[in-house]
Amino acid sequence: MTTIAEIWRFPVKGLAGQPLETAQLVPGQAIEGDRAYAIRHGNTEFDRDNPKHLSKTKFLALMTHAELAALEVSFDDTGTVMTVSKDGELLFHGNLQDPDEAHRLEVMMGSYMGDRAKGAPRLEMAEDHMFSDVPEKCLSVVNLASVQALSDHVGEPLDPLRFRANIYLDGLPAWAERDWEKGRLFTAGDVTLRLMKPIVRCNATNVNLKTAEVDQNLPKTLQKDFGANLMGVYCTVESPGTIKRGDVFSG
């Protein structure tokens, strides 16, 4: 039996996520609050009134800024009040929807990142916009057995959160998800999900989340030793409902 072992959202693109016990899902949307904010480079242009999907290279992201993993981040239940610390020192606490508090975060991140922020960083958000790696609003699903198989192969335990999934599945054989076809329907709780496409992995997965250092080349390993640089799948929500940890995932 396959079950949902963990549910996560990542309110601010590139920063640590927030574990959830349950999530309300509606068709055509992701988990509420997931990638709702992003911190753009100073030289990135973003129109809040007419938001467009932009490459992750336009924002502070683990793929290019491994030092983000050294920040200890937590959120309140709404996903809008964020606390940031490093080595036990409080760096920021505030409501991301408050312009003054958002500016304090921008100043802090500018000091932390220095020249690597490519100018003064800016916290961005836009109504009904998601700063995902793909244009579609969807959920990412990862098989924990596949992560374990990859860990065994590289000879090091890999934190599944390197793959920043919304849903982690337990009880599947390793790599079973690679046999799933596009359009396949799944049920989780009282929700129906549809498989959109497999997830091609970037260099963000190379970052050790405990040390904030690059210690692997997982895209290369996946491609060379497992036949394709893939880990997990994207799914869209087809029917509304609630998912919770421990729910059966089937299809």
Side-chain angles (χ1 to χ4, degrees), residues 17-32:
Q18 179 183 30
L20 303 174
E21 289 294 323
T22 66
Q24 301 283 336
L25 300 176
V26 298
Q29 297 292 324
I31 290 177
E32 184 178 3

Side-chain angles (χ1 to χ4, degrees), residues 140-204:
S140 55
V141 180
V142 163
N143 178 3
L144 287 173
S146 299
V147 178
Q148 185 60 55
L150 184 59
S151 297
D152 294 342
H153 181 77
V154 301
E156 297 287 343
L158 300 173
D159 188 339
L161 286 174
R162 286 185 187 236
F163 300 99
R164 301 177 69 80
N166 297 121
I167 296 175
Y168 288 95
L169 299 179
D170 192 20
L172 272 176
W175 311 116
E177 67 278 14
R178 290 195 172 194
D179 295 328
W180 295 345
E181 295 182 355
K182 179 180 178 179
R184 181 169 174 173
L185 295 176
F186 301 92
T187 58
D190 53 1
V191 175
T192 302
L193 303 176
R194 184 183 299 273
L195 193 149
M196 186 173 76
K197 62 181 178 180
I199 304 175
V200 177
R201 289 301 172 175
C202 72
N203 289 336

Side-chain angles (χ1 to χ4, degrees), residues 125-136:
M125 61 171 292
E127 186 175 355
D128 200 35
H129 183 74
M130 180 182 183
F131 295 94
S132 177
D133 289 350
V134 295
E136 300 87 353

